Amino acid sequence: MEELQQVAVSTKDAGVATQYGNQVSILLAIELIWNLCEVLFIDAAPAGSLLLHLLDWVRLHKADVDEKAREVLQSESPAEHHDYWDVVVSYVLQGRLEDARQMLVKQAALQPAARSMYKLMDALLSRMPFYNPGGNQTLTEFDVKWRHWHDEVNRCLQDNSFASNRHLEIICKILAGDEDTLLEHKEQLSTWYHFLVTRLLFSHPTVKPTELHYYAQSCLTMFLDSRSVPEPLDNILLAAFEFDIHQVIKDCSIALNNWWFVAHLTDLLDHCKLLQSHNLHFGSNLREFLLLEYASGLFTHHSLWQLAVDYFDHCPEFGHVYLELQIERVPLDTERKALKVLRICDQRQMSEQVRSICKIMAMRALRNNRLGSALSWSIRAKDAAFATLISERFLQDYCTRGTFSDLDLIDNLGPAMLLSDRLTFLGKYREFHKLYGEKRFSEAARLLLSLMTAKIAPRSFWMTLLTDALPLLEQKEVIFSADQTHELMFCLEELTSSLNASALGSKTLQDGDIELTKVELLRLSLARNLAMAIIKEGTVEV
């Protein structure tokens, strides 16, 4: 707040100064209301202690007297400074009688002839009783003591003890609680609620909480001009003095520019068991309604939306539903932000939102031709259809380029490959290439055959698989057994029969020649391998 005030003062831009000035005013009003609610509702001080709390409240929010006092004390002759008596009177109005006495000592030193008069005023100020909640004195005993002191002040006025010194007489009238004198010092009081507390201090120090609203209303009426209309802040404070919590919340909701204050104030009052059950038309209570409204507003902010999640978590009835609706509106600008949103949803078992986010990110990655990222998101979404589509793209890329992209992802699919048949095939086909690269030919051959016989491999990919079998068939050592070779030959014949019926007819002459050449090479290799396998299996080792 201090930084805002400094900027408001130092900036040369009138618009910016006004903007920051308004924000400072709002923050000061919020602090004023919050502190008063703490005094009246949270501390709930009884008679006697109540006034002490209100004095602290006024002093906290009327601190300009200290700055003025520093200027006076730092001058060459404080007692002759033009603001000297303003400071003394301000101290008295705030009940800071010790500070006032110290200031009066400086004036007494300059006027030896009036020393007895200053001594009498010092005695009145020093003897004014203040209630001590922790002491042994009862409220009744304090009241009796205070009345004796008050009578003494009135006697001094009747005796004209300070008639020769206008300033001391004014102070004496203030101590006597003279309303006309108090109202003559509106500039030092500045607000009607300061006037209220000062009036209570010097007229009704044992005021009860139930009596506050009578004094508050009369002070507001007396302090404001007949033509003045109470500001929204005045109405809020008046409602607080009337102990009308719901009216305070309602007026704050109307007057302030966002839900932050009313949401937190209501939450605090609710935790203190001070809010009666106040069900709204859709079933939630007042606390939850205000928290939901505030959190919904936070969700529209580019960075504060994460804070809103915690607020929704503390709304047991509708928080989860609101979060589900709001989380879907968060723009997923980057993958990092998407992961943040995803983590929030995972922690709260929001499975539908998790799938939705993953699908969006998978589609975006696919459009940017980032197949690895797209496959990763589709696996997280548990979207079998999309995983199948991306697996097809991987296989198409392999057929075009002869190599796989994103090998790390494919090598580490693990149980995720079971999400769809095509993804299973992709993972197993990559495993075949790894076995082949490690020269584990027998294992590679078994896996390749199983992909075809178990119908895991798509029919459109059979020719590629049979072509991959050629290097194994051409090995010096027999890799495929006679039975395995028969199965490969059956697969080839099944494939060529379908090719002859449809695919080959639609291909160009050149493509058809290539396919026929592949088929002939495969038949030749399979026949040669079958012969070698039969000879090997029929040979008895001696």
Side-chain angles (χ1 to χ4, degrees), residues 93-272:
L93 290 171
Q94 288 190 11
R96 297 170 60 177
L97 304 187
E98 283 301 317
D99 292 330
R101 288 175 64 199
Q102 290 176 17
M103 292 293 285
L104 285 172
V105 167
K106 301 182 185 302
Q107 190 67 236
L110 291 179
Q111 301 181 32
R115 188 166 295 172
S116 60
M117 198 185 304
Y118 281 97
K119 192 172 182 181
L120 177 59
M121 177 54 70
D122 186 72
L124 288 178
L125 292 173
S126 65
R127 285 203 292 267
M128 179 179 175
F130 283 88
Y131 181 66
N132 181 12
N136 297 322
Q137 191 179 47
T138 64
L139 188 62
T140 305
E141 290 170 342
F142 163 74
D143 189 47
V144 170
K145 189 176 180 181
W146 183 85
R147 289 183 186 281
H148 283 308
W149 172 82
H150 202 252
D151 291 340
E152 186 180 352
V153 173
N154 283 321
R155 276 196 302 273
C156 290
L157 281 176
Q158 291 167 5
D159 296 344
N160 294 319
S161 301
F162 303 106
S164 60
N165 189 313
R166 183 175 61 87
H167 297 294
L168 293 182
E169 188 174 33
I170 287 172
I171 293 172
C172 192
K173 285 181 179 180
I174 291 172
L175 295 178
D178 184 73
E179 291 176 358
D180 292 335
T181 305
L182 290 175
L183 289 171
E184 287 171 5
H185 291 82
K186 283 185 178 181
E187 188 177 342
Q188 285 93 337
L189 290 168
S190 74
T191 60
W192 67 269
Y193 46 88
H194 188 180
F195 170 53
L196 165 67
V197 176
T198 302
R199 182 185 172 196
L200 291 174
L201 175 64
F202 297 117
S203 301
H204 309 281
T206 57
V207 63
K208 298 175 183 175
T210 53
E211 300 169 340
L212 264 182
H213 69 281
Y214 296 113
Y215 292 110
Q217 185 63 64
S218 66
C219 286
L220 177 63
T221 306
M222 292 165 67
F223 196 84
L224 295 181
D225 296 331
S226 57
R227 291 170 295 179
S228 299
V229 178
E231 296 287 333
L233 177 61
D234 299 327
N235 293 326
I236 293 168
L237 296 178
L238 202 58
F241 284 123
E242 291 172 356
F243 287 86
D244 190 343
I245 294 176
H246 288 101
Q247 191 62 42
V248 171
I249 293 168
K250 179 181 176 182
D251 289 346
C252 287
S253 301
I254 296 168
L256 300 176
N257 61 352
N258 66 51
W259 295 101
W260 179 88
F261 177 69
V262 287
H264 288 84
L265 177 63
T266 307
D267 182 59
L268 176 65
L269 296 174
D270 186 73
H271 282 298
C272 295

Side-chain angles (χ1 to χ4, degrees), residues 66 70 82 120 127 164 166 172 230-231 257 277 297 301 340 359 372 398 406 444 483:
D66 292 312
R70 276 195 295 274
H82 65 276
L120 177 59
R127 285 203 292 267
S164 60
R166 183 175 61 87
C172 192
E231 296 287 333
N257 61 352
S277 179
H301 196 276
K340 282 183 181 178
K359 285 180 181 179
Y398 172 77
D406 299 286
D483 289 340

Side-chain angles (χ1 to χ4, degrees), residues 273-316:
K273 310 296 182 188
L274 293 172
L275 278 181
Q276 296 175 352
S277 179
H278 192 73
N279 290 330
L280 304 177
H281 67 278
F282 55 84
S284 179
N285 58 41
L286 183 60
R287 169 193 171 273
E288 183 161 320
F289 168 76
L290 292 172
L291 285 177
L292 290 172
E293 287 298 316
Y294 176 59
S296 298
L298 284 181
F299 247 101
T300 61
H301 196 276
H302 65 93
S303 62
L304 297 179
W305 65 269
Q306 295 175 79
L307 293 176
V309 175
D310 292 328
Y311 284 96
F312 283 137
D313 285 344
H314 286 84
C315 297

